[in-house]
Amino acid sequence: MKKSKIFVLAVLLLRMLVSCQTAVPAPEPHGPLPSQKQLDWHEMEFYAFVHFTTNTFTNKEWGYGDESPEIFNPTELDTRQWARIVKEAGMKGIILTAKHHDGFCLWPSKFTEHSVKNSPWKNGQGDVVQELADACREFDLKLGLYLSPWDRNHPEYGRAEYVTYFRNQLKELLTNYGDVFEMWFDGANGGNGYYGGANETRKINTLEYYDWQTTYDSIYKWSPNTLVWGVGPSEARWIGNEEGYANTTNWSLLRQKDELAGKVHYKEFMSGHEDGERWVPGEADVSIRPGWFYHAVEDGKVKSLEEVVDIYYKSIGRNANLLLNLPVDRRGLVHENDEARLMEMMAVIKADFKTELLNGSEVSASNVRGNSKQFGPGNLIDGDKNTYWATEDSITTASITFKFDAPTKFNRVLLQEHIKLGQRVKGFTVEAKVAGNWVTLAEETTIGYKRILRLDSVEATAIKINITDTKACPVLSTIEVYNAPTLVHAPQIERDKKGVVTMTSKHEDEEIYYTLDGSEPSENSSKYDAAFQLDKAVVVKAISRNVEEKVNSFPKTVKFGVSKANWKVVSVKGGNINDAAQAIDGDFGTSFRVKLPAEVVIDLGANMSFVGFDYMPKQVGNGLRLVKTYELYTSTNGKDWNKRSEGEFSNIKHNPILQVKNFTEKVEARYLKFVPTSEVERNDEVYIAELGIVE
Ligand code: FUL
């Protein structure tokens, strides 16, 4: 054979050998790994909590366990309304408090009488868990359930019999209602309670009393696809606060053995453990209102748009799932204010992630595993979560660069690790090429399932992500970049005791526009320039406007009653006149106490026309001392009185909200005399949080 032929053959053989080797092996998994159940759970990202039980009707956050099932009587309960709202918000499921610490069961459990079956709701034939399971199925949402391990009603709590009861209930919930994606076990355990009438304190050791391992084994037998959250050897962990945020460093790993030995402080949950031996990712829970349960007094205290958007970025944007509570009210509905805020929140999030900017950019990486396209950086922007960029095994630092065709503005960077192979990244930075120079925009730590950075807006021709430290070679599936619109904060609207209204925007250069007739404000409405006097009952709606970017905030609505600037309590029977101003200070948080028989006389400062009066009972605490029956008089001179209304505040015991009473005709008067004549529980004193007139 000629030498040249031998050479050609050798080259061919070599090529064949090389092509046989093109299947570059994928990186080996590193450290603890998520199960398929956990991977599916990560992808849910955002779902709703619903707190609902007898507390909703007693205005408490923790029921004592002695509440009568008789008080559970929602008037319009509609789980389809909950599911519609949750679905429209883009959330993926709902977790319901099937049983909270008070022990009342929202399903007709076979093992207790303390449930919906002894309530007037649907004549005891109802089942809230079933109705929610049906609604979730209809709206393609996943169902999760909260079963409080602590039960302040059960006579056997603290003894072995209760653990059997608890497991029986778990079996009911996990075998009768279809798939349950998450079982929620709260950490509050043991303390004082009713306990079947014992009225005592029962302490237990959470780690030992429930024998969690046996309980978990049963759960997996009954429902292998249910992920268990909370106490015991759980598959997801509390994030360490009830404000809905994770730390910026957030490992999905936990030293669970230490935790089960009581050696982990709960604050450590905010970051997880870099050296954790198990995959136990964080779930951030938070309520859209101050309380977990519905209280009418909090209708005006729904978290602001800015707060809820912040929560989104500090949970989902920090490698945690977000569990947002929408407390259901006494009607059995998610309140309109909560729905409105949730929709505003999701409108902002949708706008923030509207246009992905790396799509179509030129991407390169400092290192690619086996130089192969299979692991190339193109996988980071192909929209496929299953493909990823990976480097050679020896690599712990690497860079990926994206070049834009034209200078591009951005302020959000989203990154995801391919967590099937473990959580690896310990440090990374973001750089942008601005006017020809590389500028560092962020120095960060972990990524995990998802990390989102909010940055100041820059205009750049290229972006570089530097992986600066890893546990094993980096394996990333996604990098995305966005330019979120400026979030203009709604203005603050306040009226002082003298009736002077002031409005303030978050930034000085923003303008404020408002209406006083209930119509929606726009940049064509009245412009706010200075504080003004407003004594009448009025609804103020206002927006802030970023003039440069021509962007408006969502409107802020504030309702004011008649200004009480000139009101004075002129005489009191049964109480101390020096404290009486608390009944007319516009603050539902303060209340005036009087002993029966009592009367409170108010001077309105001038003759006024009005059609009725209102009484706000004390809102929070045990012993609300509610007025049951009353008489109401008016006078033009403070001497000659006309009785305008008398009777009872029906249902005030179960629903101590603002009580409004209309007169039979419009009245012109300067003085008001309120005479409480009895208290709901026959006590000899009552509290008055506020008295007012209805114009
Ligand atoms: C807490 C409970 O004690 C609260 O009532 C609420 O259910 C919250 C989600 O968890 O620890």
Side-chain angles (χ1 to χ4, degrees):
M1 208 183 284
K2 277 194 180 164
K3 263 191 185 168
S4 60
K5 273 195 178 166
I6 293 173
F7 179 73
V8 169
L9 270 176
V11 168
L12 278 176
L13 208 67
L14 208 69
R15 275 204 187 147
M16 271 168 65
L17 271 174
V18 169
S19 68
C20 283
Q21 284 173 358
T22 48
V24 178
E28 286 293 315
H30 182 87
L33 300 176
S35 63
Q36 187 56 47
K37 197 200 295 184
Q38 288 169 317
L39 286 169
D40 295 343
W41 177 89
H42 276 287
E43 285 181 11
M44 287 182 69
E45 292 188 8
F46 188 24
Y47 35 89
F49 223 170
V50 169
H51 273 66
F52 188 43
T53 184
T54 50
N55 292 348
T56 315
F57 300 86
T58 56
N59 243 341
K60 288 184 183 167
E61 279 290 301
W62 279 12
Y64 187 69
D66 61 347
E67 296 74 21
S68 162
E70 289 282 321
I71 64 173
F72 183 84
N73 196 11
T75 47
E76 300 169 45
L77 189 134
D78 182 5
T79 52
R80 295 184 71 253
Q81 185 249 14
W82 316 356
R84 173 188 59 74
I85 292 168
V86 167
K87 186 74 186 180
E88 275 173 23
M91 296 157 122
K92 297 291 191 299
I94 303 178
I95 301 182
L96 170 70
T97 52
K99 180 182 90 170
H100 200 252
H101 312 329
D102 55 273
F104 181 75
C105 300
L106 293 183
W107 79 105
S109 171
K110 267 199 284 183
F111 302 96
T112 181
E113 292 304 304
H114 198 54
S115 82
V116 280
K117 73 182 170 206
N118 285 313
S119 78
W121 178 62
K122 295 200 164 174
N123 292 322
Q125 302 301 305
D127 182 341
V128 187
V129 177
Q130 185 63 60
E131 292 195 12
L132 183 59
D134 293 344
C136 283
R137 211 164 297 124
E138 180 183 337
F139 285 84
D140 191 22
L141 293 166
K142 291 189 180 177
L143 173 73
L145 295 170
Y146 175 128
L147 184 74
S148 171
W150 184 21
D151 188 322
R152 303 174 92 188
N153 173 266
H154 202 275
E156 302 301 334
Y157 184 79
R159 305 185 189 112
E161 290 84 342
Y162 172 74
V163 178
T164 308
Y165 169 79
F166 178 62
R167 290 187 187 146
N168 284 338
Q169 293 205 316
L170 263 177
K171 187 172 181 191
E172 281 187 314
L173 291 175
L174 291 172
T175 55
N176 292 335
Y177 296 98
D179 290 342
V180 174
F181 85 95
E182 182 168 327
M183 195 71 230
W184 221 87
F185 292 141
D186 191 64
N189 275 297
N192 64 350
Y194 175 68
Y195 305 126
N199 290 309
E200 60 190 17
T201 297
R202 294 190 182 168
K203 290 210 169 113
I204 53 107
N205 178 333
T206 315
L207 298 172
E208 287 164 14
Y209 175 54
Y210 298 97
D211 178 6
W212 284 117
Q213 194 53 58
T214 309
T215 306
Y216 274 59
D217 290 346
S218 305
I219 293 174
Y220 297 141
K221 196 172 76 201
W222 298 320
S223 181
N225 291 329
T226 298
L227 176 141
V228 193
W229 181 98
V231 284
S234 67
E235 297 162 285
R237 68 175 201 266
W238 181 40
I239 208 65
N241 61 70
E242 294 189 354
E243 285 141 64
Y245 70 93
N247 273 347
T248 51
T249 299
N250 185 14
W251 292 95
S252 290
L253 314 178
L254 194 70
R255 290 194 301 269
Q256 197 171 56
K257 276 194 197 125
D258 285 354
E259 190 214 344
L260 294 176
K263 287 191 212 150
V264 171
H265 191 269
Y266 71 88
K267 291 271 174 206
E268 294 168 53
F269 291 154
M270 294 201 287
S271 293
H273 294 136
E274 183 183 330
D275 60 352
E277 80 282 351
R278 205 172 161 219
W279 192 273
V280 190
E283 178 191 80
D285 59 323
V286 62
S287 184
I288 199 159
R289 290 168 174 242
W292 288 102
F293 286 91
Y294 176 83
H295 309 292
V297 73
E298 291 177 359
D299 282 353
K301 294 191 176 156
V302 178
K303 289 196 167 57
S304 70
L305 176 62
E306 296 73 29
E307 283 175 297
V308 285
V309 167
D310 204 45
I311 285 171
Y312 184 94
Y313 279 103
K314 288 178 172 167
S315 54
I316 294 175
R318 292 182 178 174
N319 189 34
N321 276 7
L322 174 56
L323 175 58
L324 179 65
N325 183 56
L326 307 169
V328 160
D329 65 17
R330 291 180 184 184
R331 294 170 301 172
L333 301 175
V334 173
H335 192 271
E336 293 75 357
N337 295 3
D338 305 37
E339 176 181 1
R341 185 53 34 78
L342 178 66
M343 293 310 155
E344 288 173 3
M345 168 189 180
M346 292 322 286
V348 169
I349 298 300
K350 220 170 161 186
D352 284 4
F353 297 98
K354 192 167 167 216
T355 312
E356 205 288 304
L357 300 168
L358 293 182
N359 202 336
S361 64
E362 188 191 316
V363 53
S364 59
S366 61
N367 185 289
V368 174
R369 191 171 185 85
N371 267 328
S372 132
K373 202 167 169 229
Q374 191 190 347
F375 300 111
N379 292 334
L380 292 163
I381 52 172
D382 66 355
D384 181 347
K385 64 177 185 191
N386 296 313
T387 63
Y388 53 86
W389 161 74
T391 66
E392 301 289 357
D393 283 338
S394 58
I395 298 292
T396 54
T397 61
S399 299
I400 313 130
T401 309
F402 302 90
K403 278 191 201 145
F404 296 121
D405 287 346
T408 302
K409 268 194 179 172
F410 72 91
N411 53 21
R412 299 283 185 278
V413 177
L414 182 155
L415 306 102
Q416 292 190 277
E417 285 187 76
H418 186 70
I419 55 169
K420 257 187 186 177
L421 298 178
Q423 187 177 352
R424 298 155 172 252
V425 175
K426 288 165 68 169
F428 69 100
T429 64
V430 178
E431 287 180 86
K433 199 166 194 180
V434 182
N437 300 313
W438 284 107
V439 186
T440 302
L441 304 181
E443 277 182 51
E444 295 291 337
T445 51
T446 54
I447 297 177
Y449 165 74
K450 187 174 274 186
R451 186 75 201 277
I452 308 171
L453 305 181
R454 280 182 291 182
L455 309 167
D456 290 338
S457 240
V458 286
E459 190 169 56
T461 50
I463 300 178
K464 204 192 289 181
I465 309 292
N466 303 303
I467 306 292
T468 52
D469 196 6
T470 61
K471 291 171 107 184
C473 74
V475 180
L476 266 66
S477 63
T478 307
I479 298 181
E480 294 172 355
V481 164
Y482 298 89
N483 193 32
T486 306
L487 177 60
V488 184
H489 293 226
Q492 292 281 357
I493 309 172
E494 268 155 15
R495 186 172 76 177
D496 67 13
K497 281 187 184 159
K498 292 187 178 142
V500 177
V501 174
T502 38
M503 302 189 200
T504 24
S505 57
K506 171 104 180 180
H507 300 108
E508 264 179 25
D509 52 351
E510 286 164 357
E511 292 178 347
I512 298 176
Y513 296 88
Y514 68 94
T515 64
L516 300 177
D517 59 2
S519 63
E520 289 310 312
S522 72
E523 60 275 22
N524 302 319
S525 307
S526 308
K527 185 163 176 241
Y528 172 83
D529 292 313
F532 56 88
Q533 187 76 28
L534 205 59
D535 292 323
K536 285 185 143 303
V538 73
V539 177
V540 184
K541 290 191 171 201
I543 51 164
S544 291
R545 180 170 175 79
N546 178 320
V547 186
E548 205 190 315
E549 295 184 36
K550 296 195 176 72
V551 188
N552 294 346
S553 72
F554 280 96
K556 169 87 158 252
T557 304
V558 180
K559 283 187 196 161
F560 295 114
V562 182
S563 157
K564 294 174 182 169
N566 300 318
W567 290 27
K568 227 199 263 161
V569 177
V570 286
S571 74
V572 167
K573 276 188 194 152
N576 183 345
I577 191 147
N578 296 327
D579 302 329
Q582 290 176 336
I584 53 167
D585 62 359
D587 182 352
F588 298 158
T590 63
S591 42
F592 179 43
R593 186 172 61 131
V594 282
K595 237 180 162 40
L596 301 177
E599 68 174 45
V600 180
V601 178
I602 299 166
D603 176 358
L604 306 177
N607 256 353
M608 300 185 78
S609 345
F610 49 105
V611 294
F613 84 102
D614 52 43
Y615 155 61
M616 179 59 120
K618 186 179 173 194
Q619 290 297 294
V620 183
N622 294 326
L624 299 178
R625 301 282 191 267
L626 305 161
V627 177
K628 168 96 175 142
T629 52
Y630 71 93
E631 291 165 11
L632 193 283
Y633 301 80
T634 64
S635 166
T636 47
N637 58 13
K639 288 181 204 136
D640 308 310
W641 294 95
N642 286 310
K643 191 190 274 181
R644 300 295 182 184
S645 176
E646 70 178 318
E648 66 166 19
F649 297 117
S650 315
N651 202 28
I652 192 171
K653 181 172 175 193
H654 296 150
N655 198 8
I657 58 170
L658 186 71
Q659 308 288 312
V660 181
K661 293 285 180 183
N662 287 322
F663 306 148
T664 46
E665 56 185 1
K666 193 166 199 160
V667 163
E668 179 98 359
R670 171 166 175 166
Y671 296 89
L672 203 68
K673 180 158 59 178
F674 180 61
V675 182
T677 49
S678 67
E679 197 272 342
V680 164
E681 310 274 8
R682 296 172 198 265
N683 285 298
D684 65 350
E685 61 175 14
V686 296
Y687 282 110
I688 302 166
E690 198 71 16
L691 289 169
I693 57 171
V694 181
E695 278 190 305

